[in-house]
Amino acid sequence: MSEFPELASPTAGQNIVLVGFMGCGKSTVGREIGLQLNYKLIDTDVLIEDSVGKPISDIFAESGEEYFRGLETDLLEQIKARNSTHKIISTGGGLPVREANRAWLKKLGYVVWLRASVDTVMKRTATSSHRPLLQTDNARQKVEEMLATRNPIYHEVADLSINTDDLKISETVHGIIESANYHFSNY
Ligand code: S3P
């Protein structure tokens, strides 16, 4: 049978990994990319909650943040061990903080950092009560501090960064798919 390379998806089934701070839109953008590329969405927070059988806020309260970070590392190793392709992997905001996790992310696929300003994060997380790290009296200051620490980490792991502050979901999705296609066609 003839092959028509120009008709094949240039992403060639390679995974796309989304990183970024809480509220930057990873889950929503991930879902939409999944629909457009016919990729399965893997949301690390959802998988961890399903496997433990508890919401993340309970895991933090009962076993602490380090325990949760260990679950994130275990999960990444399992995803990599399955040699997954055609996946869009949406990661919890703190997952890239561990160096070992960053190494796994780079092996898993094309890493996209969805950037967001403090104002945007505050706006998008205002009604959320399921993020234990933001359940504090001065959430804005906490977000400022965490962004200052984490932005260089996201920057280090990412192949591409997109400032989502003024973008519609559809624009962010379009940008990611175009860039991933270009990246993989030169791979
Ligand atoms: C966290 C982000 C959350 C979740 C947990 C810890 C973080 O995921 O993994 O509450 O450390 O930034 P989202 O970024 O999907 O909200």
Side-chain angles (χ1 to χ4, degrees):
M1 207 221 277
S2 304
E3 288 195 23
F4 300 98
E6 67 276 15
L7 294 181
S9 162
T11 59
Q14 305 276 357
N15 303 317
I16 297 173
V17 179
L18 301 180
V19 300
F21 201 74
M22 293 173 266
C24 68
K26 291 162 293 186
S27 302
T28 313
V29 167
R31 234 179 343 261
E32 191 54 37
I33 294 176
L35 289 173
Q36 293 202 19
L37 293 181
N38 200 18
Y39 272 27
K40 184 170 184 244
L41 174 67
I42 294 182
D43 187 317
T44 60
D45 286 343
V46 172
L47 280 190
I48 288 174
E49 288 185 329
D50 286 351
S51 72
V52 177
K54 289 176 187 168
I56 287 171
S57 47
D58 287 1
I59 303 174
F60 267 68
E62 291 168 20
S63 311
E65 182 173 349
E66 270 313 291
Y67 177 76
F68 175 76
R69 301 295 167 207
L71 296 176
E72 289 184 317
T73 303
D74 292 348
L75 176 59
L76 285 184
E77 288 179 22
Q78 286 173 34
I79 297 171
K80 185 70 189 98
R82 282 183 203 154
N83 283 325
S84 296
T85 61
H86 299 84
K87 300 285 185 298
I88 170 93
I89 302 165
S90 170
T91 60
L95 186 144
V97 170
R98 276 196 179 181
E99 196 180 343
N101 292 357
R102 295 202 288 283
W104 283 115
L105 293 178
K106 286 179 183 173
K107 288 183 194 145
L108 274 170
Y110 183 57
V111 182
V112 179
W113 169 26
L114 299 185
R115 282 182 4 245
S117 66
V118 176
D119 283 343
T120 301
V121 171
M122 293 310 295
K123 213 165 26 190
R124 294 187 189 155
T125 58
T127 54
S128 122
S129 57
H130 65 275
R131 292 181 167 106
L133 294 174
L134 298 185
Q135 303 311 304
T136 156
D137 288 344
N138 195 343
R140 188 179 179 92
Q141 189 186 338
K142 176 92 184 192
V143 168
E144 279 169 358
E145 288 167 4
M146 289 175 81
L147 277 176
T149 311
R150 287 186 179 177
N151 280 349
I153 290 172
Y154 297 134
H155 181 263
E156 186 211 306
V157 74
D159 295 301
L160 169 76
S161 91
I162 298 187
N163 183 348
T164 66
D165 284 339
D166 299 318
L167 293 185
K168 295 188 195 119
I169 297 294
S170 58
E171 293 169 329
T172 304
V173 167
H174 181 74
I176 293 172
I177 293 176
E178 288 294 301
S179 304
N181 283 342
Y182 182 74
H183 175 81
F184 290 123
S185 66
N186 289 292
Y187 207 58

